[in-house]
Amino acid sequence: MQDLQGKSIAILATHGFEQSELEVPRDKLREAGATVHVISLEAGRIKGWDKDDWGRPVDVDRTLDAASSGDYDAIVLPGGQINPDLLRVEQSALDFIKAFWTGKKVVAAICHAPWLLVETGIATGRKMTSYPSVKTDVINAGAHWEVSPVVTDQGLVTSRNPGDLDAFCEKIAEEISEGRHERRAA
């Protein structure tokens, strides 16, 4: 994995995130030298979903209202069915995600988290993948959906499921190392 010393990454999540889709990127990106903050709607801890039941809680480093996209080089959006569904109705969460995109920073989403890319308008015209049940939503939003472990498009990184986490994390690190993606078209 690329050396991410001096880089800062936000992981935006709330209750019901898929356990591995938050913990694996958090841990791997930290191991690569990045500062990684878990950001959520409320302070304290958020509870994960681990395959078919509630998982372990994770500490929140910053609340969304105290976070600024300007403090980070990238945002990671873990999936699970519950987490992105709760976040996509929170305007402050959508605005936070959009600020990364308009700032030409890396935006990474896995599993059901591409729902957030649909809600923000980021999906339109982009090459993407997602969990299969989200495919129609992504296509209807105007994205070009692919069956692949990881898909990138000018700093947008998407993956399908926990089985893709190694490729997802590698690609996030690579995209962050490339810097801002100046040639994005709406």
Side-chain angles (χ1 to χ4, degrees):
M1 186 173 291
Q2 303 275 335
D3 179 10
L4 296 176
Q5 290 291 328
K7 302 297 183 182
S8 294
I9 301 162
I11 297 179
L12 178 62
T14 192
H15 298 290
F17 61 87
E18 181 64 41
Q19 200 80 43
S20 63
E21 293 173 358
L22 186 149
E23 291 177 341
V24 171
R26 179 197 63 195
D27 297 348
K28 284 184 177 277
L29 296 168
R30 283 181 179 164
E31 288 170 15
T35 299
V36 181
H37 291 149
V38 175
I39 298 171
S40 192
L41 303 171
E42 57 190 51
R45 303 177 105 192
I46 52 175
K47 196 167 193 176
W49 187 263
D50 197 1
K51 298 179 188 83
D52 57 5
D53 202 355
W54 288 105
R56 298 172 299 284
V58 168
D59 291 332
V60 172
D61 297 302
R62 288 196 179 150
T63 57
L64 183 56
D65 62 355
S68 168
S69 65
D71 294 338
Y72 300 98
D73 299 290
I75 187 168
V76 176
L77 305 168
Q81 293 174 318
I82 301 166
N83 168 61
D85 198 43
L86 292 173
L87 288 174
R88 69 182 176 163
V89 297
E90 294 291 336
Q91 191 60 50
S92 61
L94 301 175
D95 291 343
F96 188 62
I97 296 164
K98 281 192 264 189
F100 282 86
W101 186 250
T102 59
K104 299 177 173 63
K105 297 179 179 185
V106 174
V107 175
I110 188 168
C111 193
H112 288 73
W115 269 336
L116 295 164
L117 306 176
V118 168
E119 288 297 325
T120 58
I122 294 169
T124 305
R126 296 283 150 216
K127 292 188 300 182
M128 293 175 55
T129 195
S130 66
Y131 195 74
S133 66
V134 180
K135 174 184 175 181
T136 300
D137 297 330
V138 170
I139 291 169
N140 286 342
H144 308 284
W145 194 87
E146 298 179 16
V147 177
S148 185
V150 64
V151 174
T152 59
D153 187 341
Q154 292 293 313
L156 181 65
V157 181
T158 53
S159 280
R160 304 171 300 184
N161 58 53
D164 299 333
L165 281 166
D166 287 342
F168 183 61
C169 293
E170 286 285 340
K171 191 53 81 170
I172 292 168
E174 180 183 316
E175 292 293 305
I176 291 169
S177 295
E178 288 179 6
R180 293 188 187 230
H181 291 76
E182 299 296 335
R183 290 184 281 158
R184 286 187 178 153

